[in-house]
Amino acid sequence: MADTATYDKIATTTLGSAASSITFSSIAASWTDLRLVIVPTSTAANDIQMQFNGDTATNYSYTSLRGNGTSAASSAQTTVANISWTLGGQIDSIPHFYTGDVFSYSGSTYKTILMSSQEDDNGSGIVGRTVGLWRNTAAITSIRLFTGVNFLTGTTATLYGIKSA
Amino acid sequence: MTPMLGIMASSITKSKIATGSFYSIATVTGTGSSSTITFSSIPSTYKHLQIRAIARQVSGGYSSQSPTIRFNGDTTAGNYNGHQLFGYNSGGSNFVAATANGANLPRFVQGSAVASSSMYGAVIVDIIDYASTSKYKTMRAFGGNDTNGDASGTNQIELGSALWMSTSAISSITITEKNAQSFTTASTFALYGIN
């Protein structure tokens, strides 16, 4: 089997001032999968959400599994206008850690995303996993991350590309 | 940027990570007529392995499915053990799969029962220290599928771990659909080596 180095950093953003969204645009179809790594803080507790290619219609759905130190739960959201990392949890002033793997983002199927959330606030918090679906066969060329409040200065978001043989 | 009240990531470039520690080894796609995916002749030149896959069944009318993963062709009952934690529309559950003749992967394979043929499940599997000749092999997996509430295609989110009780270096991996249903031609399984 031949092997090829294949894990590329596509772009990274570190906020120099508060903003309500971060957008990765003009994403080339050069890789097989995309991986997002996000460490946000916010001015107030809120969700962190994602949309593709500027699609604000209700073409998204997701299923989550999470635990908060007391109990575990799962739930699903259907026909919604975005995919949320924080179903049951929230970003806040303490840095949390989120990842998202977007599979076959330039392929012809609907797009499936595996997401993780790690939110610990020293006494409370949630660890979660989510599978999301964007019901669109178009290649993903932009990803918008947003929140109902502002991401704070220092919030980081990095987009990687992973290319298979 | 300003009109969007946000930040646009600028200067999108393809810059290699300096360490170059993640390598593509091979990709296998479904044939539309086979329920088995095999990676063979895996070299022992990496520290860990990762499989990234999307998959769907051609037919059979099932909901999401959990395929079996086996190493080096070993089908010996009792050589595999695993635990799984999963959730769906509500609640959550976990179970232990012991003494099976292969380890369970998460229920990520989208069954053909779901209405849209464009829906695929996904999984990430990490196989730790796969080339060791002194340790049993541990695997973790995260996968699932979402069907936007389609009543015929159960949505699942699942975490799994498994143990292969062998000290042999892993040189081949076989993934088999439990219902003997074929993987579609758009199903892809990519194997990576990590140093």
Side-chain angles (χ1 to χ4, degrees):
Chain A
M1 293 182 177
D3 58 11
T4 308
T6 188
Y7 201 134
D8 302 316
K9 184 176 75 174
I10 299 174
T12 189
T13 293
T14 301
L15 293 184
S17 60
S20 61
S21 69
I22 296 170
T23 300
F24 294 103
S25 60
S26 303
I27 301 169
S30 304
W31 299 273
T32 307
D33 301 333
L34 298 175
R35 181 171 176 80
L36 285 158
V37 176
I38 310 160
V39 183
T41 55
S42 66
T43 52
N46 211 283
D47 292 335
I48 177 171
Q49 298 161 329
M50 174 167 58
Q51 292 171 331
F52 301 113
N53 291 6
D55 183 6
T56 58
T58 55
N59 291 323
Y60 305 85
S61 55
Y62 53 98
T63 302
S64 297
L65 173 67
R66 58 197 179 275
N68 61 6
T70 302
S71 61
S74 64
S75 57
Q77 296 289 312
T78 61
T79 317
V80 290
N82 59 69
I83 298 172
S84 173
W85 262 276
T86 41
L87 191 64
Q90 291 180 316
I91 59 173
D92 56 34
S93 60
I94 297 175
H96 298 156
F97 172 46
Y98 305 92
T99 66
D101 287 273
V102 186
F103 289 81
S104 192
Y105 72 101
S106 60
S108 59
T109 65
Y110 289 173
K111 306 306 182 290
T112 298
I113 306 97
L114 293 178
M115 304 151 70
S116 76
S117 60
Q118 293 71 217
E119 306 170 1
D120 197 284
D121 290 333
N122 189 28
S124 64
I126 286 180
V127 60
R129 295 292 183 272
T130 297
V131 56
L133 179 72
W134 181 43
R135 299 189 308 282
N136 196 309
T137 58
I140 291 173
T141 57
S142 71
I143 301 173
R144 179 174 177 254
L145 310 171
F146 62 102
T147 178
V149 291
N150 269 351
F151 294 121
L152 290 176
T153 300
T155 290
T156 64
T158 303
L159 180 66
Y160 299 93
I162 299 172
K163 185 175 179 57
S164 64
Chain B
M1 285 187 259
T2 304
M4 297 181 67
L5 299 177
I7 294 294
M8 300 284 289
S10 60
S11 302
I12 289 183
T13 59
K14 183 182 177 181
S15 57
K16 294 282 186 185
I17 290 177
T19 53
S21 56
F22 198 90
Y23 296 89
S24 175
I25 299 174
T27 299
V28 179
T29 59
T31 64
S33 58
S34 173
S35 60
T36 300
I37 296 289
T38 301
F39 295 104
S40 58
S41 303
I42 301 170
S44 297
T45 49
Y46 308 99
K47 186 65 175 174
H48 312 298
L49 297 175
Q50 182 174 102
I51 298 169
R52 304 173 64 90
I54 61 170
R56 179 184 174 88
Q57 293 178 337
V58 170
S59 59
Y62 296 96
S63 58
S64 55
Q65 295 296 305
S66 166
T68 300
I69 186 168
R70 299 184 179 92
F71 304 112
N72 293 3
D74 182 9
T75 58
T76 307
N79 279 359
Y80 298 88
N81 195 299
H83 293 75
Q84 290 169 285
L85 173 65
F86 68 91
Y88 36 96
N89 292 326
S90 62
S93 188
N94 68 88
F95 59 89
V96 179
T99 64
N101 61 355
N104 291 323
L105 289 177
R107 296 179 215 191
F108 76 98
V109 180
Q110 179 60 64
S112 64
V114 70
S116 173
S117 61
S118 294
M119 290 180 179
Y120 279 69
V123 73
I124 300 172
V125 182
D126 289 295
I127 303 163
I128 310 305
D129 214 358
Y130 75 102
S132 171
T133 55
S134 61
K135 292 183 285 189
Y136 290 173
K137 307 304 182 295
T138 297
M139 178 196 85
R140 69 172 182 180
F142 167 35
N145 69 306
D146 191 279
T147 59
N148 191 39
D150 186 301
S152 299
T154 308
N155 48 313
Q156 295 272 356
I157 179 81
E158 189 164 317
L159 300 174
S161 68
L163 177 69
W164 181 43
M165 289 175 277
S166 170
T167 57
S168 298
I170 292 173
S171 60
S172 73
I173 299 171
T174 303
I175 297 171
T176 305
E177 247 301 279
K178 282 188 172 174
N179 304 114
Q181 297 300 316
S182 301
F183 292 111
T184 63
T185 55
S187 299
T188 61
F189 294 75
L191 177 67
Y192 299 90
I194 304 171
N195 284 327

